Amino acid sequence: MKDRVNEFVDLFPDFHSLDQTAQIVRLAYFHAIEEGRESVNREDMERLFQLANVAVPKNLAQLLAYLCGKGQKLINANGEFSLRREIRKEIDHEIRG
C-alpha cells in the first residue's frame, strides 16, 4: 500500500507543500477511489499520512471536524469520513486533467 499511496501523492507535484486540509482531502480521495472504500476513519487517515511520509497533523481531529463543517469537503457518518460529491469531481478533474 505504501507504494500506491506514494504513486498517488506524486500525481500532485506540490503535495508536500499543500496545507493540511488539502492533504487530508486528497488522502481521503485516495482511500475512497483508489482503494475502493467509501469512507476513511481517523486511524486510517493517520496511517495514510505516515505512508506518504508526511507528518500527521497534531490537530487531525479538529481538521476533520472543520472539513465536515465550515470546510464543506467531507461528510462524517459516525467517525467514518467520506468526500462530498463535488469535491470528488474536483479532484478527478485535477488528476485526469
Side-chain angles (χ1 to χ4, degrees), residues 49-78:
F49 269 96
Q50 292 166 348
L51 291 173
N53 295 320
V54 178
V56 177
K58 292 184 188 322
N59 59 343
L60 181 58
Q62 292 89 346
L63 290 171
L64 290 169
Y66 170 78
L67 289 168
C68 292
K70 290 182 180 178
Q72 297 184 347
K73 300 203 184 305
L74 300 177
I75 299 168
N76 182 0
N78 299 320

Side-chain angles (χ1 to χ4, degrees), residues 1-7 30-31 35 37 44 47-48 51:
M1 181 181 213
K2 182 175 178 60
D3 290 339
R4 290 192 310 274
V5 169
N6 284 301
E7 287 172 11
F30 168 79
H31 202 263
E35 290 294 297
R37 299 183 172 101
D44 289 337
R47 187 167 47 95
L48 290 171
L51 291 173

Side-chain angles (χ1 to χ4, degrees), residues 23-95:
Q23 290 175 339
I24 288 169
V25 169
R26 281 157 184 80
L27 290 175
Y29 179 95
F30 168 79
H31 202 263
I33 305 301
E34 303 295 323
E35 290 294 297
R37 299 183 172 101
E38 284 302 309
S39 61
V40 60
N41 60 40
R42 182 177 162 194
E43 292 78 23
D44 289 337
M45 186 62 69
E46 288 174 355
R47 187 167 47 95
L48 290 171
F49 269 96
Q50 292 166 348
L51 291 173
N53 295 320
V54 178
V56 177
K58 292 184 188 322
N59 59 343
L60 181 58
Q62 292 89 346
L63 290 171
L64 290 169
Y66 170 78
L67 289 168
C68 292
K70 290 182 180 178
Q72 297 184 347
K73 300 203 184 305
L74 300 177
I75 299 168
N76 182 0
N78 299 320
E80 291 286 326
F81 302 95
S82 58
L83 285 168
R84 291 185 178 273
R85 185 174 310 153
E86 62 274 13
I87 301 306
R88 219 179 257 209
K89 287 181 184 178
E90 215 173 276
I91 295 173
D92 272 340
H93 181 71
E94 189 176 339
I95 290 172

